[in-house]
Amino acid sequence: MIELYSLTSAARVIMAILCFIAMLMETLIVIFTAQRRKENHVRLLYESSLVLFFFASAFIFGLVQHVVADRLFYVMDYFRYTAALSAVFAVWSFARRPSIRMGAAIPALLVILPVFDSFTGGHYPAIFIAVNTILFMAAMEKLMLAWKALHDNLSSLSIKQAFDSIPDGLLFANIKGRILLKNNTMDAILRLCRINPLLNAQKIYAAIGTIGATEYCECVRAGDALLLRILNNGTYLITLAPLHSGGRQYLQLFAADITEEDILTKELDEYALRLADTQKAMIDALNNIEKIERAKELLRLKQNIHDIIGQRLSIVHRFLEDMDSGRLSVENLRELFGSLESELNAAFSAAPLETFEEIQNLFSLIGVSVTLTGKLPDEKAVKSILLQVIREASTNAIRHGNAKKIEVNAADNLESFCMTITNDGSIPNKSIVEGNGISSMRQCLGEIGGELYYEQSPKFLLRIIINESSGTSNQC
């Protein structure tokens, strides 16, 4: 130890600092090593002995800095035996698990023991510094490896945390079904379904499949998978499949969260049911519409036949009354009934056509004049209904008022079409009770947006108004 006096003051300070740093590094290594479950106790004892060794070396280099009695150096020699303790644990550890680092540490620790001083030949300071430097570098390397191992452990923890953040349920097991990894979602699914989480993967899958329908969840087969609905906790599609990785075979139990898809499916099913109900209602409505259309068609035929036959009967009645006057002949009567068949055939057609001239000619057979001032609309549907109204109004004028002259006035402006029908017949003494004639005229006019009004004085007048714009007026 006396040879350490030959070192410069700066060298001794640097070595004392390096040994102190090495002691701190070894302390961290001991902490990291203690946290690793697989590490053996011999390795932990070895690293702990190096903490003591570096403490002794730092003490020796630091003490040489001061002028002390030579006798004290002999006491300091005993501190060098801490290297013997480290060497013993190094040999023991090397025997259990040989390594280059441990093999190099053994002779380095032994060479600085006091028993080898006689073989150093005055080079003890250099040997002591070299051994401490080697062990310092080894401590630095071990600290880096320990830090890397800790980082790897943190990475595994991060993987578990990432698995737990997945909304789907995940469970990995070995080929025998023993669970290796399971995330929180899968734990929650098993807890909500009252399934023992300690079962192996195959039994867990089988237990889910036997749930059926309960008050808290429902499970049905969906092909090769299981559709699991948990009350107020979502819907999952569960599969169990083999997984190959790194030449090994595993099992993966996967619960895919399909809550939104299941909600959409239910909504689509409900929408399909509503569509089916709507379709049925539409079919019923169409059937009703067909019935209504048939009823309307029958009513149209009834009205047409009523008008045609009524017109003929009124003309025949007038003819019979005027037979003695000589104004009417049998030829006129033959002509009257000769056109009856064609008009009845026209009444059964979809859109019977009639002209004002035909009405004029028919009533002229009994000496009744029907005149038109103005022009009827060109639209066929409107014109046909107006001609029916003219014919029905003329027939009523002859039947009830014994009229000889019927005047029709038509006027068309930007807002509405107006038509009035007057006659020279007798005026009713009492209020008119609307019968089939006026009612049928109102109904026909209603189909084209028309309205009918009548006046009894100073002479009987029918007013028909068809609005062509918003607003209603009964003035022509």
Side-chain angles (χ1 to χ4, degrees):
M1 293 295 295
I2 301 297
E3 292 88 345
L4 291 178
Y5 273 126
S6 60
L7 296 176
T8 63
S9 177
R12 291 194 296 269
V13 171
I14 291 173
M15 287 306 302
I17 293 173
L18 286 179
C19 289
F20 182 75
I21 294 173
M23 181 189 69
L24 295 178
M25 289 192 297
E26 282 294 341
T27 302
L28 292 175
I29 292 170
V30 170
I31 295 172
F32 291 153
T33 303
Q35 291 178 346
R36 297 176 63 179
R37 297 179 181 178
K38 294 183 180 180
E39 210 54 71
N40 57 67
H41 298 293
V42 178
R43 175 66 182 275
L44 184 60
L45 291 173
Y46 168 71
E47 302 297 345
S48 301
S49 66
L50 286 181
V51 174
L52 184 60
F53 169 77
F54 281 117
F55 173 77
S57 297
F59 180 77
I60 291 172
F61 281 114
L63 193 58
V64 173
Q65 276 293 105
H66 303 84
V67 179
V68 295
D70 292 342
R71 188 181 303 169
L72 185 58
F73 279 104
Y74 293 106
V75 176
M76 291 170 56
D77 276 343
Y78 291 102
F79 285 104
R80 288 195 289 161
Y81 284 104
T82 57
L85 181 62
S86 299
V88 170
F89 289 127
V91 172
W92 190 1
S93 180
F94 182 80
R96 293 170 61 90
R97 185 182 299 176
S99 65
I100 296 176
R101 187 189 308 110
M102 199 67 67
I106 294 171
L109 289 167
L110 292 175
V111 77
I112 61 172
L113 292 176
V115 294
F116 293 101
D117 285 352
S118 59
F119 301 100
T120 59
H123 301 291
Y124 180 79
I127 295 173
F128 191 67
I129 292 173
V131 170
N132 278 277
T133 303
I134 292 171
L135 294 177
F136 173 84
M137 299 298 293
M140 183 179 294
E141 181 186 7
K142 287 184 291 184
L143 182 61
M144 293 175 62
L145 292 174
W147 178 259
K148 184 177 181 300
L150 179 63
H151 179 72
D152 292 341
N153 289 336
L154 291 175
S155 299
S156 300
L157 181 61
S158 299
I159 293 173
K160 179 64 170 66
Q161 290 174 343
F163 270 41
D164 288 338
S165 66
I166 297 175
D168 301 316
L170 279 173
L171 184 150
F172 293 99
N174 61 17
I175 194 61
K176 294 182 179 180
R178 187 173 66 85
I179 297 175
L180 303 175
L181 181 63
K182 180 173 55 177
N183 69 351
N184 290 339
T185 303
M186 182 61 74
D187 278 329
I189 292 172
L190 298 181
R191 184 179 65 257
L192 292 170
C193 293
R194 317 288 173 82
I195 296 175
N196 185 0
L198 300 179
L199 297 175
N200 62 32
Q202 296 95 327
K203 291 183 178 180
I204 287 175
Y205 183 76
I208 294 174
T210 57
I211 288 175
T214 64
E215 59 181 5
Y216 48 86
C217 62
E218 175 189 10
C219 183
V220 294
R221 282 280 175 183
D224 296 332
L226 299 176
L227 183 64
L228 178 65
R229 292 188 179 99
I230 303 175
L231 182 63
N232 299 327
N233 283 280
T235 304
Y236 299 90
L237 188 66
I238 300 178
T239 57
L240 179 65
L243 182 68
H244 300 275
S245 177
R248 294 185 179 182
Q249 192 173 19
Y250 301 93
L251 291 176
Q252 174 185 272
L253 184 64
F254 183 59
D257 187 354
I258 58 169
T259 303
E260 294 184 2
E261 292 82 353
D262 189 47
I263 292 173
L264 290 175
T265 301
K266 288 182 179 179
E267 290 178 353
L268 287 175
D269 291 341
E270 293 174 358
Y271 183 66
L273 291 175
R274 290 198 299 270
L275 281 180
D277 293 339
T278 304
Q279 183 181 16
K280 184 178 181 300
M282 290 179 65
I283 292 173
D284 294 340
L286 287 174
N287 293 333
N288 291 333
I289 289 173
E290 290 178 359
K291 292 179 181 178
I292 293 172
E293 290 298 324
R294 285 196 296 270
K296 288 175 64 177
E297 182 64 17
L298 290 174
L299 181 61
R300 183 186 68 80
L301 290 174
K302 177 182 176 181
Q303 291 172 347
N304 287 340
I305 294 172
H306 172 272
D307 292 345
I308 293 169
I309 299 298
Q311 182 186 40
R312 293 306 192 278
L313 290 176
S314 297
I315 293 173
V316 170
H317 186 267
R318 175 63 64 84
F319 180 83
L320 294 175
E321 288 180 349
D322 295 345
M323 281 185 63
D324 297 337
S325 67
R327 291 195 304 269
L328 299 175
S329 64
V330 177
E331 292 298 326
N332 291 338
L333 187 62
R334 185 180 295 112
E335 183 179 350
L336 174 66
F337 286 100
S339 63
L340 179 61
E341 182 179 359
S342 62
E343 289 197 31
L344 287 173
N345 289 333
F348 284 95
S349 65
L353 296 178
E354 190 176 24
T355 64
F356 182 78
E357 289 75 14
E358 291 175 349
I359 296 175
Q360 279 183 317
N361 293 335
L362 199 57
F363 283 106
S364 67
L365 295 175
I366 55 173
V368 177
S369 67
V370 182
T371 59
L372 173 64
T373 302
K375 181 182 177 183
L376 297 177
D378 294 329
E379 188 177 348
K380 285 185 178 182
V382 177
K383 186 176 182 179
S384 175
I385 289 175
L386 291 176
L387 289 172
Q388 291 180 45
V389 171
I390 292 171
R391 181 173 59 183
E392 177 66 16
S394 300
T395 300
N396 290 339
I398 295 170
R399 179 184 301 167
H400 302 294
N402 200 22
K404 299 290 185 181
K405 184 178 180 181
I406 299 169
E407 296 179 351
V408 181
N409 290 285
D412 195 359
N413 53 48
L414 295 176
E415 294 184 355
S416 63
F417 171 82
C418 181
M419 184 177 74
T420 60
I421 303 175
T422 60
N423 64 79
D424 61 350
S426 59
I427 301 172
N429 295 325
K430 54 184 179 179
S431 299
I432 296 176
V433 178
E434 295 188 11
N436 290 334
I438 293 179
S439 297
S440 64
M441 285 189 286
R442 284 189 192 279
Q443 187 170 359
C444 290
L445 289 169
E447 295 178 1
I448 57 173
E451 298 178 358
L452 182 143
Y453 306 92
Y454 62 85
E455 300 175 5
Q456 291 184 240
S457 63
K459 60 181 178 178
F460 189 81
L461 177 143
L462 281 178
R463 180 177 288 110
I464 294 93
I465 299 174
I466 302 174
N467 296 303
E468 297 179 357
S469 62
S470 61
T472 302
S473 173
N474 60 0
Q475 300 297 320
C476 292

